[in-house]
Amino acid sequence: MKLTMLSAILVLAVSSYAAASPTVTQSYSYTDQEFASRDAACVSAMLEKITPRFEGLQKIELGTNSIFETQSGYIAVYPGAIFEGRYGDAEGSLTCVFTRDGRNVSDVAVTFV
């Protein structure tokens, strides 16, 4: 009986987590490994830090993006991102600021238009 109850709780926890994590589609790709890893780090940071705050978020569509170097590190900007949710859709921009070496995301933000 305890094993059945534990299994049911585990299934509920996994399905709850899966429902809370939106799918991300990207209409671009990188051949340069450095840019691909920065892109992946930015998307991961968004999923970890931003999306849990938006109840009902189901899908994020990322189109064009720009990753460029500044004097203090790298910045990634994703204009025209589409956020689809249970309560409606919105368009916005995703921005990631990287550490000076470009390996880690130090800040991530979403602004809506």
Side-chain angles (χ1 to χ4, degrees):
M1 182 66 168
K2 287 183 181 181
L3 184 59
T4 304
M5 180 71 84
L6 182 60
S7 297
I9 291 171
L10 184 60
V11 167
L12 284 174
V14 169
S15 64
S16 173
Y17 176 76
S21 185
T23 59
V24 178
T25 59
Q26 298 160 290
S27 62
Y28 59 87
S29 62
Y30 281 107
T31 55
D32 183 281
Q33 188 57 40
E34 280 188 43
F35 284 105
S37 73
R38 287 186 188 106
D39 175 62
C42 186
V43 171
S44 292
M46 175 192 59
L47 289 172
E48 179 184 340
K49 302 291 184 184
I50 301 291
T51 59
R53 297 173 184 249
F54 294 97
E55 183 179 333
L57 185 59
Q58 298 169 330
K59 184 178 178 184
I60 301 166
E61 294 180 26
L62 300 175
T64 62
N65 68 351
S66 297
I67 299 176
F68 51 93
E69 186 175 8
T70 69
Q71 288 182 337
S72 51
Y74 288 84
I75 295 177
V77 180
Y78 300 74
I82 306 294
F83 298 84
E84 297 178 14
R86 212 174 346 170
Y87 306 110
D89 302 340
E91 184 176 342
S93 179
L94 167 65
T95 304
C96 289
V97 177
F98 290 83
T99 55
R100 188 174 294 271
D101 63 6
R103 293 184 185 157
N104 299 305
V105 175
S106 61
D107 201 7
V108 60
V110 173
T111 43
F112 295 100
V113 292

